[in-house]
Amino acid sequence: MSYMKEFTKGLIKENPNMVMLLGMCPTLAITTMAVNGVTMGLSTTFVLVCSNLVISLLKKVIPDTVRLPAYIVIIAGFVTFVSLVLQAVAPDIYSALGMYLALITVNCIILGRAEMFASKNKAIPSMLDGLGMGLGFTLTLVLVGSIREIFGAGSWFGIKIMPEFLEPMTLLILPAGGFFVLGTVIAVVNRLMKKKPREITCENCPNAESCKDCSAKNGGDR
Amino acid sequence: MEIAKNLMVILLTGILTENFVLSKFLGICPFLGVSKKLNSSIGMGAAVTFVMVCASAVTYPIYFGILAPLGIEYMNTIAFILIIAVFVQLVEMVLKKYMPPLYKSLGVYLPLITTNCAVLGVTQLNLTKEYNFLESVVNAFGAGVGFMIAMIIFAGVRSRLERCNIPNALQGAPITLMAASVVSLAFIGFGGVVEGIFGA
């Protein structure tokens, strides 16, 4: 079995946010500092691995019609667990991430993997898939977070690294900078991988099934 | 008078200075995915506003009536997401049966909304800011209207982008994100406006 492939595909080739363009909200919101990226990424990875495991074990038990609510409840359970642990172990980071921690529940990467992979595959490949996707997500968060922190605040993981005379570009820490840096990163990735330009659309969205009318109404081009 | 002023501040803050999409990054997927056409932007915006207001109104009594007395506040994520999922389903059925014209214009966006982080986000925000019932509902309304305004503005920006000659690597998502960055930059200009009007 190509277990290795299930794991590595999420890192670069099918990187959930740089290539598949999923999970944009946390990628933009919490990446003002690299350390936030690490915590958020690892929390999401944990939830993703656990939810993929549980969902793939329960795939025969959960009726098809109520699968989305069932998946969401499983995911929300693990999210609650992670946020309780973080609150106890690292209260500073817990308050820095704030409500975005609870919002891991509705991160479309997790629901997307549950729908596209875990509900169709065995337990071990599902876990590896979750691990790879989660680490790929973490990689992007740390990359975007590092760029924003180094150029926007002149430091990296809280340590000052830029010389004093270079005025930090505070703009990059602001929301506008988040959009800009992520856009640039995706452009570079597109260029390096020679990928066809992709729009952020509904096609990867785990809800795409249920709103086909929506895509038809929007011109049917997505 | 004091209450009305307070509510106005919450409303305008939600729409302008702390715009959900452009400064809190909630609901980015629909913002970028559905904002290609003006009509769908308005439809999606209206549907999100509606669900947000109702979700805030429903989750408030559940949190303070059930979760808090039992001491299980930490269950709020699970409880809220379930309530929102059930509620969206309910709204869809009710609209389909009793208000077909409204269902026709909003219905198609409803399934998208269950997993829209803006809806869960607004209920969480109400908790962290310790708003009371009225403030929560007004906050949700402001957030929804802010979302709609951002979508409408952005639909205009994108219709211009379509006619531009964009370098290969930037086509698609990158240029969309960069355009969003500029729109977000414009909204930074609203900083301090609300305090200025109300002298808060």
Side-chain angles (χ1 to χ4, degrees), chain A residues 3 5 8 20-21 35 52 79 110 160 162 174-176 211:
Chain A
Y3 283 161
K5 218 174 122 207
T8 52
M20 313 263 282
L21 307 176
V35 65
N52 262 8
V79 170
I110 301 182
K160 201 127 189 75
M162 291 294 259
L174 295 176
C211 56

Side-chain angles (χ1 to χ4, degrees), chain A:
Chain A
M1 281 295 280
S2 51
Y3 283 161
M4 207 53 205
K5 218 174 122 207
E6 304 297 359
F7 172 66
T8 52
K9 68 168 192 252
L11 295 177
I12 307 283
K13 208 171 133 243
E14 290 179 28
N15 186 294
N17 35 13
M18 285 193 283
V19 180
M20 313 263 282
L21 307 176
L22 288 174
M24 288 292 153
C25 304
T27 319
L28 291 163
I30 53 91
T31 50
T32 48
M33 291 193 321
V35 65
N36 287 352
V38 175
T39 331
M40 185 68 181
L42 292 181
S43 313
T44 310
T45 307
F46 174 80
V47 175
L48 192 50
V49 171
C50 297
S51 66
N52 262 8
L53 173 67
V54 171
I55 287 166
S56 97
L57 290 175
L58 291 178
K59 62 178 179 284
K60 294 220 175 74
V61 185
I62 299 173
D64 206 39
T65 42
V66 293
R67 64 182 196 287
L68 278 185
Y71 295 166
I72 292 179
V73 172
I74 293 171
I75 295 166
F78 286 115
V79 170
T80 307
F81 175 79
V82 168
S83 53
L84 285 177
V85 169
L86 266 186
Q87 195 173 9
V89 178
D92 293 346
I93 293 173
Y94 175 79
S95 51
L97 294 180
M99 66 174 179
Y100 294 102
L101 213 49
L103 293 179
I104 296 177
T105 318
V106 280
N107 187 327
C108 26
I109 297 173
I110 301 182
L111 205 57
R113 288 332 284 174
E115 181 85 348
M116 286 190 279
F117 198 91
S119 59
K120 291 172 195 144
N121 287 281
K122 288 209 173 69
I124 293 184
S126 297
M127 272 176 81
L128 288 172
D129 174 78
L131 190 64
M133 286 288 163
L135 292 180
F137 178 65
T138 312
L139 185 76
T140 320
L141 288 189
V142 175
L143 181 67
V144 176
S146 302
I147 296 174
R148 287 178 75 183
E149 194 181 352
I150 291 173
F151 293 107
S155 54
W156 194 46
F157 284 98
I159 303 159
K160 201 127 189 75
I161 58 161
M162 291 294 259
E164 281 295 321
F165 60 87
L166 281 178
E167 192 76 29
M169 293 186 278
T170 318
L171 179 67
L172 291 187
I173 297 278
L174 295 176
F179 284 112
F180 189 81
V181 171
L182 185 62
T184 317
V185 167
I186 293 175
V188 171
V189 169
N190 278 352
R191 174 86 192 166
L192 292 180
M193 293 175 74
K194 301 208 165 49
K195 280 193 90 70
K196 274 198 192 138
R198 285 182 69 173
E199 197 59 70
I200 296 170
T201 60
C202 298
E203 68 184 22
N204 293 322
C205 169
N207 277 328
E209 272 292 280
S210 50
C211 56
K212 274 190 185 122
D213 311 340
C214 156
S215 53
K217 195 176 175 180
N218 288 337
D221 55 13
R222 55 193 74 206

Side-chain angles (χ1 to χ4, degrees), chain B residues 63-77:
Chain B
Y63 185 82
F64 288 97
I66 299 177
L67 297 181
L70 291 175
I72 48 168
E73 288 96 336
Y74 60 86
M75 292 288 280
N76 68 55
T77 312

Side-chain angles (χ1 to χ4, degrees), chain B residues 4-191:
Chain B
K5 186 180 145 190
N6 186 21
L7 292 181
M8 275 310 280
V9 170
I10 292 176
L11 183 66
L12 286 179
T13 309
I15 297 177
L16 298 177
T17 40
E18 291 186 15
N19 189 289
F20 250 51
V21 182
L22 298 169
S23 81
K24 286 203 162 62
F25 300 117
L26 296 170
I28 296 289
C29 294
F31 173 63
L32 299 176
V34 193
S35 65
K36 250 189 173 166
K37 297 221 170 68
L38 189 60
N39 283 347
S40 45
S41 306
I42 297 174
M44 184 73 186
V48 167
T49 311
F50 181 66
V51 174
M52 269 181 172
V53 170
C54 300
S56 294
V58 176
T59 50
Y60 185 87
I62 298 225
Y63 185 82
F64 288 97
I66 299 177
L67 297 181
L70 291 175
I72 48 168
E73 288 96 336
Y74 60 86
M75 292 288 280
N76 68 55
T77 312
I78 300 179
F80 286 7
I81 193 74
L82 262 181
I83 293 166
I84 293 170
V86 170
F87 186 75
V88 169
Q89 205 82 58
L90 195 74
V91 168
E92 202 182 346
M93 289 192 294
V94 169
L95 283 186
K96 204 172 188 176
K97 183 105 175 47
Y98 296 106
M99 286 173 263
L102 197 61
Y103 177 74
K104 247 189 171 164
S105 49
L106 296 188
V108 289
Y109 304 106
L110 286 174
L112 260 177
I113 295 174
T114 317
T115 50
N116 182 344
C117 49
V119 178
L120 187 63
V122 80
T123 58
Q124 294 282 341
L125 197 71
N126 289 337
L127 285 186
T128 42
K129 292 214 172 169
E130 292 170 1
Y131 285 149
N132 64 31
F133 181 74
L134 203 57
E135 286 169 339
S136 301
V137 172
V138 170
N139 181 38
F141 183 70
V145 172
F147 180 79
M148 182 144 86
I149 290 178
M151 294 259 295
I152 291 170
I153 294 176
F154 202 55
V157 173
R158 283 182 86 166
S159 69
R160 295 247 161 169
L161 274 181
E162 302 237 311
R163 278 180 270 139
C164 292
N165 191 6
I166 299 160
N168 269 342
L170 287 179
Q171 275 172 19
I175 197 69
T176 311
L177 284 167
M178 285 177 186
S181 156
V182 177
V183 176
S184 162
L185 203 57
F187 268 70
I188 293 177
F190 286 119

